[in-house]
């Protein structure tokens, strides 16, 4: 999930012959070189596939230029297009959707340029060869970038892999908040190594904000960044950091190779809702209101019901097998219908395969003291009420498949916040109640981010982020990631 805490870094000019040296930069350059090699291999295979699919064992004819020249030229032009579209810019690598958009744009623009040039120059290169090569190459590049990113994320989670070393600048409260935000998603690649706070807050003895060392004040930010090896200065809110001082800080960082990023107090707002407009030299951030109705909502509802109907038909044999297993394992009904709260506070019955003994609700009071989560939910890793078949169903989230019927009936969505119990909703405050502005979902950010392993606070934060920033593209991404979360069965109990 992408947090809107950080704006795009402003790259300080690096003097000729100078580079931002150090182990981190060496690891970064090694990763970029590996991407170039990976992209080259993918494109070579794509061009070979295009040639074989179009010509097979036949000898190409009708082209004034032999394909032994066309193929290497196309490969070189493709790599140049990726470079021109800045697909190897470290500011987009490893996090966010911009990397994928740039790769697709580079491929599509090159394909368009070749088509126009071929038409004007009347070069007889096979259109079938080009079409197949570009289709396979574009998909291959996206898959390769996804695989490389997953490897990088795993390395960053282990404390390896290249990450930006960040010096956070601002008031203590805002510094701590930003540090918490960056550490919440270590795979994003921002490693906090120090902080600078206002002069008035400095003490004569070494200070720490949590486990972050205070390395200086606002008077010596560039020197502090150099001393601790930071390659990024992240400025958060502070009354002492006026526009003039921030502009001068940018000047001071010129030529040092240290990036400057600005972290506004606006958080958990996705990029598509944010628009920056310069007014009299001041970049004003305009935030669009969330969309809770309209054409996009109608399309979302249509997609939900269509996909749920198709899924129910395809999964019918599996549903029958699960029903038989539940019936043979323990006495009681196959389906469990529980009252949940949907959009606008309207209650409905959510369908699930029964995974517990029939008197599970009566036993809940005896287990209340063994609750393993904070907040309003009850979760227990080894719940004695769960049946043998129920444990298997929960592990692979198969118990939730009947909720496709709730989606078909329009009570739920494929993607959305977790459907809460009426007892939970009764204790909601004003902020948490915003979860009810949209339909609850079978899956959501909470599921692909850890499910029951998440704290109550993090689960609510993810639900509210979805409510504010939902989109059809995000829904498709969440559905895709749900398969991986189900296979790993993380947080499923």
């Amino acid at each position: 999930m992408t947090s809107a805490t950080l704006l795009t870094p402003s790259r300080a000019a690096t003097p000729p012959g100078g580079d931002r040296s150090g182990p981190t930069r060496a690891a970064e350059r090694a990763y970029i070189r590996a991407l170039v090699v990976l992209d080259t291999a993918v494109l070579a295979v794509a061009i070979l596939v295009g040639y074989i699919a179009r010509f097979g064992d036949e000898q190409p004819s009708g082209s004034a230029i032999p394909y032994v020249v066309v193929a290497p030229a196309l490969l070189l032009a493709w790599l140049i297009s990726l470079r021109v579209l800045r697909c190897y810019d470290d500011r987009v690598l490893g996090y966010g959707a911009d990397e994928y958009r740039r790769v697709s744009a580079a491929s599509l623009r090159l394909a368009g340029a070749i088509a126009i040039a071929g038409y004007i120059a009347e070069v007889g290169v096979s259109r079938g060869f080009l079409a197949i090569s570009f289709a396979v190459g574009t998909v291959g590049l996206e898959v390769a970038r996804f695989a490389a990113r997953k490897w990088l994320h795993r390395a960053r989670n282990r404390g390896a892999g290249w990450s930006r070393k960040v010096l956070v600048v601002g008031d203590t409260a805002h510094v701590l908040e930003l540090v918490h935000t960056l550490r919440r998603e270590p795979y994003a690649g921002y490693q906090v190594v120090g902080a600078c706070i206002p002069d008035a807050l400095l003490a004569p003895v070494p200070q720490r904000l949590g486990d972050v060392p205070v390395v200086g004040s606002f008077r010596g930010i560039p020197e502090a960044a150099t001393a601790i090896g930071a390659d990024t200065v992240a400025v958060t809110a502070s009354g002492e950091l006026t526009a003039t001082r921030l502009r001068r800080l940018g000047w001071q960082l010129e030529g040092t190779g240290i990036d400057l990023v600005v972290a506004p107090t606006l958080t958990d707002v996705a990029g598509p809702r944010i628009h920056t407009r310069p007014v009299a030299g001041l970049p004003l951030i305009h935030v669009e209101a969330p969309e809770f109705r309209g054409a996009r909502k109608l399309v979302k509802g249509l997609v939900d019901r269509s996909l749920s109907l198709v899924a129910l038909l395809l999964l019918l044999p599996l549903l029958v097998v699960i029903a038989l297993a539940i019936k043979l394992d323990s006495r009681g009904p196959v389906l469990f219908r529980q009252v949940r709260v949907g959009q606008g506070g309207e209650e409905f019955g959510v369908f699930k395969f029964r995974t517990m003994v029939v008197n599970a609700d009566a036993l809940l009071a005896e287990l209340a003291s063994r609750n393993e989560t904070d907040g309003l939910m009850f979760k227990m890793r080894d719940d004695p009420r769960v049946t043998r078949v129920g444990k298997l169903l929960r592990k692979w989230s198969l118990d939730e498949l009947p909720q496709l019927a709730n989606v078909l009936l329009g009570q739920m969505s494929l993607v959305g916040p977790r459907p809460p119990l009426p007892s939970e909703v009764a204790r909601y405050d004003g902020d948490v109640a915003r979860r009810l502005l949209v339909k609850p979902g079978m899956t959501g950010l909470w599921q692909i981010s850890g499910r029951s392993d998440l704290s109550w606070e993090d689960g609510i934060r993810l639900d509210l982020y979805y409510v504010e920033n939902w989109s059809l593209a995000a829904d498709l991404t969440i559905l895709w990631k749900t398969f991986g979360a189900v296979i790993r069965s993380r947080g499923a109990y």
Side-chain angles (χ1 to χ4, degrees):
M1 181 188 71
T2 304
S3 172
T5 304
L6 289 181
L7 298 181
T8 303
S10 173
R11 177 58 47 83
T14 304
D19 75 315
R20 298 174 293 163
S21 58
T24 298
R25 292 305 175 187
E28 174 189 324
R29 289 192 294 269
Y31 179 77
I32 293 175
R33 285 195 297 268
L35 276 184
V36 174
V37 173
L38 184 61
D39 289 348
T40 303
V42 168
L43 296 180
V45 171
I47 293 171
L48 179 61
V49 169
Y51 182 87
I52 294 175
R54 173 60 182 86
F55 301 110
D57 297 331
E58 300 177 3
Q59 186 68 23
S61 59
S63 175
I65 305 176
Y67 280 83
V68 70
V69 176
V70 171
L74 176 59
L75 175 60
L76 180 60
W78 212 331
L79 290 173
I80 292 175
S81 180
L82 291 172
R83 176 68 67 177
V84 170
L85 268 291
R86 301 170 71 183
C87 297
Y88 302 104
D89 191 332
D90 63 346
R91 286 170 291 184
V92 301
L93 294 179
Y95 193 74
D98 201 26
E99 179 181 1
Y100 300 119
R101 283 195 293 263
R102 292 191 186 190
V103 168
S104 296
S107 301
L108 293 175
R109 290 187 184 186
L110 178 63
I114 290 177
I116 294 173
Y119 176 78
I120 295 175
E122 297 183 353
V123 178
V125 178
S126 169
R127 286 175 290 183
F129 161 73
L130 292 175
I132 296 172
S133 297
F134 274 107
V136 174
T138 302
V139 174
L141 286 173
E142 298 286 4
V143 172
R145 290 299 180 101
F146 176 79
R149 175 176 292 193
K150 288 301 178 183
W151 176 88
L152 180 61
H153 287 178
R154 286 194 294 269
R156 284 173 170 173
N157 285 331
R158 295 193 309 266
W162 68 270
S163 297
R164 296 177 181 274
K165 295 188 180 297
V166 182
L167 172 68
V168 181
V169 178
D171 291 339
T172 54
H174 292 102
V175 166
L176 289 171
E177 184 178 356
L178 181 56
V179 169
H180 173 71
T181 300
L182 296 180
R183 288 182 174 175
R184 196 166 57 204
E185 298 181 355
Y187 56 84
Y190 287 91
Q191 178 185 357
V192 179
V193 294
C196 284
I197 59 177
D199 300 46
L201 300 179
L202 280 179
V205 296
Q207 293 174 260
R208 302 183 75 86
L209 299 178
D211 59 351
V212 177
V214 175
V215 295
S217 69
F218 292 173
R219 296 181 183 273
I221 295 174
E223 294 78 8
T226 302
I228 62 174
D231 53 34
T232 302
V233 172
V235 179
T236 185
S238 174
E240 293 189 26
L241 278 174
T242 62
T244 300
R245 294 190 71 171
L246 187 57
R247 183 170 63 250
R248 287 174 180 169
L249 175 60
W251 294 342
Q252 291 172 340
L253 295 177
E254 287 180 2
T256 64
I258 299 175
D259 292 342
L260 174 65
V261 299
V262 179
T265 54
L266 179 69
T267 60
D268 287 335
V269 180
R273 289 180 53 209
I274 297 177
H275 303 279
T276 304
R277 300 186 180 97
V279 177
L282 179 66
L284 297 181
I285 299 177
H286 292 248
V287 183
E288 293 182 355
E291 187 173 347
F292 299 120
R293 58 179 59 87
R296 286 203 310 146
K297 273 292 185 181
L298 293 176
V299 173
K300 176 179 170 67
L302 179 61
V303 170
D304 282 338
R305 296 194 178 195
S306 301
L307 291 180
S308 64
L309 177 59
V310 172
L312 280 171
L313 294 176
L314 293 177
L315 295 173
L316 185 58
L318 176 61
L319 298 177
V320 172
V321 171
I322 293 174
L324 289 174
I326 294 173
K327 201 67 178 175
L328 294 173
D329 180 57
S330 62
R331 66 180 183 87
V334 169
L335 291 178
F336 173 69
R337 191 169 184 266
Q338 188 178 46
V339 176
R340 296 293 179 106
V341 181
Q343 186 177 20
E346 183 177 349
E347 295 185 354
F348 68 99
V350 66
F351 298 108
K352 296 179 104 177
F353 280 124
R354 182 176 59 83
T355 60
M356 291 186 174
V357 295
V358 290
N359 61 336
D361 290 338
L363 298 175
L364 180 60
E366 302 175 12
L367 301 172
S369 61
R370 300 169 63 183
N371 188 9
E372 297 178 8
T373 65
D374 55 355
L376 306 180
M377 292 188 298
F378 176 86
K379 284 290 182 180
M380 187 176 170
R381 193 173 297 274
D382 294 314
D383 195 327
R385 301 173 298 165
V386 180
T387 64
R388 290 174 300 175
V389 171
K391 290 180 180 179
L392 182 63
L393 296 180
R394 288 189 170 204
K395 180 179 180 181
W396 302 107
S397 300
L398 297 176
D399 59 315
E400 299 177 359
L401 290 180
Q403 292 176 24
L404 289 168
N406 293 113
V407 178
L408 188 61
L409 293 172
Q411 299 165 330
M412 293 180 63
S413 175
L414 290 176
V415 181
R418 183 188 64 84
L421 294 166
S423 58
E424 297 174 15
V425 175
R427 290 179 282 174
Y428 277 0
D429 59 21
D431 292 342
V432 182
R434 289 184 64 81
R435 299 170 77 247
L436 305 179
L437 291 175
V438 300
K439 291 180 182 179
M442 289 185 62
T443 184
L445 290 174
W446 55 276
Q447 187 173 46
I448 65 175
S449 302
R451 301 181 66 184
S452 298
D453 288 342
L454 293 175
S455 67
W456 168 260
E457 180 182 349
D458 284 339
I460 291 298
R461 177 182 59 82
L462 291 173
D463 280 345
L464 292 181
Y465 180 88
Y466 177 82
V467 170
E468 299 283 338
N469 304 287
W470 75 272
S471 69
L472 294 174
D475 282 1
L476 293 176
T477 301
I478 292 171
L479 287 172
W480 170 255
K481 290 185 176 181
T482 297
F483 291 106
V486 169
I487 292 173
R488 291 192 302 271
S489 65
R490 177 190 171 194
Y493 55 86

